[in-house]
Amino acid sequence: MRAVVVESKGAAAQVIDADEASMLQGDVQVDVLYSSFNFKDGLAIAGSGVARTFPLIPGIDVVGRVTSSSSEAWKPGDVVVANGDGLGEFKHGGFATRAHLAADSLVRLPDSISPDRAAAIGTAGFTAMIGVLKLSDAGLTPDSGDILVTGAAGGVGSVAISLLARRGYRVVASTGRIDEQGDYLRGLGAADLIDRAELAEAGRPLQSQRWAGAYDSVGSATLANILAQTNYGGTVVACGLAQGPDLPTTVMPFILRDVTLTGANSVDAPHEVRQRAWDALGSELDLGLLDSMTETISLADTITLAPEILAGRVRGRTVVDVNS
Ligand SMILES: NC(=O)c1ccc[n+]([C@@H]2O[C@H](COP(=O)([O-])OP(=O)(O)OC[C@H]3O[C@@H](n4cnc5c(N)ncnc54)[C@H](OP(=O)(O)O)[C@@H]3O)[C@@H](O)[C@H]2O)c1
């Protein structure tokens, strides 16, 4: 098989001919059709702490066609999706032409979603949908008020904007790239844009109420300011740390405004959460908008794209065509 391999901590990733039999383990064997490129894959290729075993094939997403399976749940020819579950962290991931996967981590692709679009959705889109369902399960409706999405031009942010707008919410997008990506974000459904600099510095523990809810990929002072600006009874979903993993907040938004802070996690999501999110993506995601936010790259391109995504210069979603 052809694979991107990081041989050891700090070593440069390389595309090599690797030995499938000695490297891969898992009860379902697939020909990888597509993977996708996420922030975490940039970290793994750059040699950060995301990679926990070596050698490692990065790639937290796999869309593949089953060739053999020791699990009765899957048979040759099935097209399956795997997101997270340790892939590209401590299990070999999707930046290869072959993968061996855990049967219980797999989701059946909805008929409406082709394999390349499933990769375009990937972990970022799957996580976006988990968070949108959380906002909706918390009782937020389009009449509740504005929903803020941070990291707007990134993968999670782009899909979250399109999903929330499709559900009828009024979405405000926070981005550091208003001039460059403003038209793109409005095209996805953002009703308004704010400069992320407005949220980036430490602020007062309680501020004017602006948001019925928020979807945050950024963390740190940005998330603290969002909590301080969330309406009484509002809900904030935290999924990422593009600004930083810290959360310099106080209890004030919780004890004086009854704000709820919840998470979205794609890596360890149980099967019913995975299938619910993918079924909702199959029925709700505007595939034309998905195409408009997607670029496709080759296996080798993943190595040069890593510093770009870590610098916040990649827009939307990137599909990896592992066979090119
Ligand atoms: N919890 C989970 O299971 C899960 C799943 C997927 C992703 N994540 C995390 O969610 C985050 C976003 O992932 P992604 O795949 O969407 O990444 P991405 O495509 O790289 O997007 C991240 C976006 O965050 C913004 N950003 C970058 N640096 C920033 C900074 N210093 N301060 C404020 N904003 C900054 C940029 O948006 P603008 O240019 O628009 O400002 C950037 O496009 C990452 O931290 C990732 O690890 C978590």
Side-chain angles (χ1 to χ4, degrees):
M1 63 178 181
R2 295 284 289 163
V4 175
V5 177
V6 183
E7 285 291 348
S8 58
K9 192 169 177 57
Q14 289 180 302
V15 182
I16 61 169
D17 289 319
D19 181 42
E20 175 181 349
S22 63
M23 279 187 89
L24 301 187
Q25 287 177 342
D27 36 18
V28 182
Q29 290 76 46
V30 304
D31 282 334
V32 180
L33 302 172
Y34 298 97
S35 184
S36 85
F37 199 83
N38 297 270
F39 191 83
K40 234 181 196 177
D41 301 317
L43 290 171
I45 286 183
S48 94
V50 161
R52 285 190 263 158
T53 53
F54 297 97
L56 180 75
I57 300 172
I60 64 175
D61 292 323
V62 175
V63 182
R65 181 171 287 112
V66 176
T67 54
S68 56
S69 168
S70 57
S71 158
E72 290 185 359
W74 304 103
K75 60 178 192 320
D78 287 343
V79 176
V80 295
V81 183
N83 306 114
D85 194 47
L87 296 171
E89 294 185 70
F90 55 89
K91 297 177 185 177
H92 293 304
F95 292 177
T97 51
R98 294 280 293 163
H100 294 196
L101 303 166
D104 59 3
S105 72
L106 302 179
V107 167
R108 206 172 294 282
L109 200 54
D111 290 341
S112 56
I113 301 180
S114 60
D116 56 331
R117 282 173 165 156
I121 293 167
T123 285
F126 167 55
T127 309
M129 183 48 105
I130 289 175
V132 168
L133 292 170
K134 284 222 169 176
L135 292 173
S136 161
D137 289 349
L140 290 178
T141 69
D143 294 332
S144 302
D146 288 358
I147 307 289
L148 178 70
V149 176
T150 62
V156 176
S158 293
V159 181
I161 291 168
S162 58
L163 289 170
L164 287 163
R166 183 89 185 250
R167 284 185 168 219
Y169 293 96
R170 186 175 187 279
V171 181
V172 178
S174 167
T175 180
R177 298 182 273 178
I178 288 186
D179 290 346
E180 193 190 324
Q181 303 298 348
D183 289 346
Y184 163 77
L185 294 169
R186 286 199 179 83
L188 297 181
D192 213 347
L193 308 177
I194 64 170
D195 190 320
R196 77 184 191 201
E198 278 185 42
L199 298 166
E201 304 298 331
R204 285 177 290 112
L206 285 179
Q207 302 170 30
S208 298
Q209 298 180 49
R210 299 175 74 179
W211 319 115
Y215 195 121
D216 177 56
S217 310
V218 169
S220 196
T222 297
L223 180 53
N225 283 318
I226 294 168
L227 292 166
Q229 295 173 6
T230 298
N231 298 352
Y232 187 94
T235 297
V236 177
V237 174
C239 93
L241 39 61
Q243 184 181 8
D246 57 323
L247 179 53
T249 187
T250 71
V251 297
M252 295 306 188
F254 310 108
I255 66 174
L256 295 182
R257 293 201 180 140
D258 201 2
V259 168
T260 298
L261 174 61
T262 186
N265 174 264
S266 57
V267 177
D268 301 309
H271 187 264
E272 58 274 18
V273 172
R274 292 177 187 275
Q275 195 67 59
R276 181 186 179 208
W278 273 100
D279 288 347
L281 285 160
S283 60
E284 290 183 33
L285 185 61
D286 181 327
L287 297 176
L289 279 186
L290 178 69
D291 293 347
S292 76
M293 68 175 85
T294 303
E295 306 285 334
T296 300
I297 62 171
S298 70
L299 207 52
D301 292 336
T302 59
I303 295 170
T304 46
L305 200 65
E308 295 298 305
I309 201 163
L310 296 182
R313 288 195 288 265
V314 171
R315 180 181 93 173
R317 298 287 299 135
T318 305
V319 169
V320 182
D321 181 351
V322 300
N323 296 296
S324 75

